[in-house]
Amino acid sequence: MPSITTMMFVAASAAATFMLIQSYARQYLPDEVSSYFDQKFKNFIARIYSELTLVIEEYDDGLNRNKLFKAAKLCLEPKIPPNVNRIKINLPKKESEVSLSVEKNQAVVDVFNGVRLKWKFELKPAPDQELCNNGNYMFKDRVPCFELRFHKKHKKTVLGTYIPHILKKSKELSKKKKTLKLFTLSSNRINHDTWQSAILDHPSTFDTLAMVTDMKKMIMDDLERFLKRKDYYRRVGKAWKRGYLLFGPLGTGKSSLIAAMANYLHFDVYDLELSSVEGNKHLRKVLIATENKSILVVEDIDCCTELQDRSAQARTASPYWHSPRRLLNFTNGLWSSSGDERIIVFTTNHKDRLDPALLRPGRMDVHIHMSYCTLCGFKILASNYLGITEHPLFSEVEELIEQTKVTPAEVAE
């Protein structure tokens, strides 16, 4: 049995040999071959020391994005140390803030509950690398990944506490960095089932809405309750979605309320024109292509003739949306089965024209009457547009506004 001293000497000699080979490989060999030797050296060192390495690839099966990779990228950005030699900087289109990320072979150290963790970004060879006849390696692709190293004794802490912490933290950072998008269906006949996006830079918030304070509080409380009830929806066997009907005259702020909801929830908005949907198959494709944490908007639903009271509809041959059951299936069938954490908003100027079956809970859970301007709404508009919070004429306005039907849009103008 060799002595401990002998074993340490052999290990040190082997490590020195590997380091020499690694040095020559980096200097004289192509990057792909050099990376191969790097990986071998790391594996050797890992066997000697009590260190565990977790490899987090960008895609878990070549198709689906690994959520943990994206989470690590977000969480490491604010932890990049000042002594890092190379930093990747990016400014996405139509965004004002740059994003930073580490370059390959750059390390970032994190400390969690006293545990030291070392992150490193790598571009490792893909599994489909081939050995050519001449003995050289041909790499078909490079796979982006993070390597997370720590002492083996902390494995339980890292997997059970640190990784969930990273996922939770990344959601918070993502919400702050996310740029809201407005999606509309492509007008191209070839790609008519794809969504096109634009930056949703609408300034509307619940603070600026010309709406009664109690109504605004009710809506915000309902949205907050919806966000917290994932387990509830799963327990009762319902899709995690919430339907809203906004009804009232033109100019009462229905579109502004939708924008305020999007800004409050930090949800993207999908604007669906029913006239552009050609059938069940097309509808299914359109809905599956939408993302979670989004608001699906169907405006002016009363303009679709098949939604009017079925007792008054005895139509014969008619286009797709003239069938009275199409939208009913749409709201509680196809849409509700695709994705989680969805809000659907219908708007109408004439609630009385809608099929009563469409208005029941489960399809349109919350009915919000967008009424004419009140004194509360008038004061909010005065503050928004003129910076006025108090004025001697407010008492006179209160008397007049009770006698006159005027919309917030008219007051604003």
Side-chain angles (χ1 to χ4, degrees), residues 326-390:
R326 293 300 185 186
L327 199 81
L328 301 183
N329 293 336
F330 163 69
T331 54
N332 67 337
L334 293 174
W335 180 81
S336 63
S337 63
S338 59
D340 280 330
E341 209 168 355
R342 309 291 182 94
I343 298 288
I344 181 168
V345 178
F346 292 98
T347 73
T348 179
N349 300 328
H350 306 283
K351 181 183 177 182
D352 57 312
R353 296 182 184 178
L354 300 183
D355 186 338
L358 185 65
L359 302 177
R360 69 168 178 79
R363 289 174 177 141
M364 296 184 181
D365 305 294
V366 183
H367 297 194
I368 301 172
H369 182 209
M370 306 296 290
S371 64
Y372 290 103
C373 196
T374 62
L375 179 64
C376 178
F378 185 93
K379 287 184 175 181
I380 292 172
L381 291 171
S383 175
N384 293 344
Y385 284 84
L386 305 175
I388 296 173
T389 56
E390 294 294 338

Side-chain angles (χ1 to χ4, degrees), residues 230-241:
K230 178 179 181 179
D231 294 336
Y232 165 79
Y233 279 94
R234 182 172 296 176
R235 187 172 68 251
V236 299
K238 292 179 63 178
W240 191 14
K241 57 97 177 178

Side-chain angles (χ1 to χ4, degrees), residues 36-66:
Y36 171 77
F37 281 110
D38 277 348
Q39 192 61 47
K40 291 294 183 183
F41 177 70
K42 290 171 187 174
N43 293 340
F44 173 76
I45 294 298
R47 284 195 294 269
I48 296 176
Y49 298 103
S50 300
E51 190 177 69
L52 181 62
T53 301
L54 302 182
V55 179
I56 305 166
E57 295 183 355
E58 185 174 13
Y59 291 90
D60 52 18
D61 56 7
L63 295 175
N64 297 318
R65 188 89 183 268
N66 188 345

Side-chain angles (χ1 to χ4, degrees), residues 18-240:
F18 268 109
M19 290 179 67
L20 183 62
I21 294 173
Q22 186 185 44
S23 176
Y24 276 105
R26 286 178 176 173
Q27 192 171 0
Y28 297 108
L29 298 178
D31 289 341
E32 292 82 359
V33 180
S34 175
S35 296
Y36 171 77
F37 281 110
D38 277 348
Q39 192 61 47
K40 291 294 183 183
F41 177 70
K42 290 171 187 174
N43 293 340
F44 173 76
I45 294 298
R47 284 195 294 269
I48 296 176
Y49 298 103
S50 300
E51 190 177 69
L52 181 62
T53 301
L54 302 182
V55 179
I56 305 166
E57 295 183 355
E58 185 174 13
Y59 291 90
D60 52 18
D61 56 7
L63 295 175
N64 297 318
R65 188 89 183 268
N66 188 345
K67 290 197 299 184
L68 189 52
F69 181 91
K70 184 179 179 181
K73 190 174 182 181
L74 278 170
C75 290
L76 291 179
E77 180 177 341
K79 297 181 182 293
I80 298 176
N83 60 339
V84 167
N85 297 324
R86 293 171 64 85
I87 299 176
K88 186 183 293 184
I89 184 170
N90 181 39
L91 181 62
K93 185 178 180 182
K94 295 185 179 180
E95 294 189 15
S96 57
E97 293 187 12
V98 298
S99 61
L100 305 177
S101 58
V102 291
E103 262 280 22
K104 68 175 183 177
N105 298 323
Q106 298 292 317
V108 176
V109 175
D110 191 14
V111 177
F112 179 77
N113 291 347
V115 179
R116 188 176 185 273
L117 305 111
K118 186 177 180 180
W119 289 88
K120 196 171 185 181
F121 179 68
E122 298 278 2
L123 289 172
K124 72 171 191 174
D128 57 356
Q129 59 178 288
E130 294 180 353
L131 184 64
C132 300
N133 293 332
N134 61 3
N136 294 328
Y137 280 93
M138 180 180 70
F139 295 86
K140 291 184 177 180
D141 201 358
R142 313 286 289 173
V143 178
C145 69
F146 281 106
E147 289 187 352
L148 174 59
R149 297 181 182 178
F150 52 90
H151 197 283
K152 290 179 180 178
K153 67 181 180 181
H154 299 304
K155 178 181 177 181
K156 186 176 180 180
T157 300
V158 171
L159 295 179
T161 309
Y162 181 65
I163 295 300
H165 164 75
I166 289 293
L167 292 170
K168 182 180 179 181
K169 187 68 176 177
S170 69
K171 287 182 179 179
E172 297 172 1
L173 293 171
S174 179
K175 190 173 181 179
K176 291 179 181 178
K177 292 173 66 72
K178 180 182 177 182
T179 301
L180 296 186
K181 300 283 180 33
L182 172 64
F183 292 87
T184 55
L185 281 178
S186 171
S187 57
N188 189 322
R189 294 296 299 172
I190 298 176
N191 299 317
H192 67 299
D193 57 355
T194 59
W195 293 96
Q196 294 179 326
S197 68
I199 300 295
L200 179 59
D201 190 21
H202 199 295
S204 180
T205 66
F206 279 104
D207 289 335
T208 61
L209 277 179
M211 180 185 285
V212 176
T213 303
D214 290 345
M215 178 69 76
K216 288 195 282 189
K217 186 177 185 306
M218 182 277 290
I219 297 170
M220 288 188 287
D221 288 346
D222 190 78
L223 292 172
E224 285 291 340
R225 185 166 52 250
F226 168 75
L227 292 178
K228 297 175 182 177
R229 302 187 86 182
K230 178 179 181 179
D231 294 336
Y232 165 79
Y233 279 94
R234 182 172 296 176
R235 187 172 68 251
V236 299
K238 292 179 63 178
W240 191 14

